[in-house]
């Protein structure tokens, strides 16, 4: 669909600056030049592109290098159990470094426990998604939740998902305890 031109037609009239198109690592590209041209057309309209499930399969690293996405989504195989697995932490730290060097967003997928959330935060991951953060749901529910957590206006962010995840992965203020609250 990406290289057919149908994607541009599908997104016509939509608020492009709020759209993040995710390309799964399972998609095979016979011609990366055609894919880059299609991505350039989407970007010209204001749409951002992410590579989904990075690290889950054989082609995702090549997709990242060849397509220069705006974001990469670290597969849940790296976040699941990251709090007690040195290998997963090391791989995630490598992705954090790569994303910083390339100036792209890194989104940790599959965050389901507080310990996983704290582990990815400690590595410097600032975006995430998973059942702990928010269950999948309709766009209207996401918009309401984003407004509820006090995020800035949509014009100040690139996508609704980025607003939601950015707001929810930020370290929470610590409760000073009853003595400090005067109780």
């Amino acid at each position: 669909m990406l290289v057919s031109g149908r994607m541009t037609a599908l997104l016509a009239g939509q608020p492009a600056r709020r759209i993040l198109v995710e390309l799964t690592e399972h998609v095979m590209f016979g011609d990366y030049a055609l894919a880059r041209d299609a991505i350039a057309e989407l970007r010209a309209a204001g749409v951002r592109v992410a590579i989904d499930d990075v690290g889950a399969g054989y082609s995702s690293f090549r997709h990242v290098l060849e397509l220069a996405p705006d974001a990469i989504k670290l597969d849940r195989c790296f976040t699941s159990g990251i709090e007690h697995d040195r290998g997963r932490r090391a791989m995630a730290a490598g992705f954090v470094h790569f994303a910083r060097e390339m100036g792209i967003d890194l989104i940790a997928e599959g965050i389901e426990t507080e310990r996983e959330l704290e582990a990815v935060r400690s590595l410097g991951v600032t975006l995430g998604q998973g059942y702990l953060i928010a269950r999948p749901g309709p766009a209207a529910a996401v918009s309401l939740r984003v407004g509820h957590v006090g995020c800035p206006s949509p014009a100040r962010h690139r996508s609704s998902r980025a607003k939601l995840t950015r707001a929810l992965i930020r370290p929470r203020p610590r409760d000073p305890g009853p003595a400090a609250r005067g109780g």
Side-chain angles (χ1 to χ4, degrees), residues 25-26 51-57 60 72-80 88 95 106-110:
E25 72 86 26
H26 302 288
I51 305 295
D52 194 23
D53 300 328
V54 169
S60 63
I72 55 176
K73 296 182 71 181
L74 185 62
D75 189 75
R76 64 167 293 148
C77 71
F78 295 107
T79 56
S80 180
R88 283 180 169 81
F95 281 109
L106 176 65
I107 304 164
E109 294 182 306

Side-chain angles (χ1 to χ4, degrees), residues 17-168:
R17 63 177 163 49
R18 298 185 66 197
I19 296 173
L20 177 68
V21 172
E22 295 181 12
L23 304 175
T24 180
E25 72 86 26
H26 302 288
V27 173
M28 299 282 290
F29 290 104
D31 187 344
Y32 277 104
L34 286 175
R36 283 190 297 270
D37 289 345
I39 289 170
E41 189 175 326
L42 289 172
R43 283 189 176 131
V47 173
R48 297 180 66 229
V49 175
I51 305 295
D52 194 23
D53 300 328
V54 169
Y58 70 94
S59 63
S60 63
F61 296 134
R62 183 165 184 205
H63 285 4
V64 171
L65 294 174
E66 294 281 347
L67 302 177
D70 302 293
I72 55 176
K73 296 182 71 181
L74 185 62
D75 189 75
R76 64 167 293 148
C77 71
F78 295 107
T79 56
S80 180
I82 193 171
E83 71 278 11
H84 54 76
D85 187 309
R86 197 171 97 195
R88 283 180 169 81
R89 280 193 311 278
M91 286 295 292
F95 281 109
V96 169
H97 178 75
F98 175 81
R100 283 185 186 144
E101 285 290 314
M102 299 303 294
I104 60 180
D105 289 332
L106 176 65
I107 304 164
E109 294 182 306
I111 300 171
E112 296 188 2
T113 69
E114 287 286 340
R115 287 184 175 157
E116 290 168 348
L117 178 62
E118 290 305 317
V120 297
R121 278 183 182 155
S122 73
L123 293 172
V125 176
T126 59
L127 300 171
Q129 70 182 89
Y131 284 167
L132 178 69
I133 296 170
R135 301 255 181 204
V142 171
S143 296
L144 289 173
R145 176 163 287 161
V146 168
H148 178 70
V149 296
C151 290
S153 69
R156 296 197 47 202
H157 286 281
R158 293 172 279 202
S159 74
S160 293
R161 176 173 286 161
K163 288 188 304 185
L164 176 62
T165 55
R166 195 166 296 178
L168 291 172

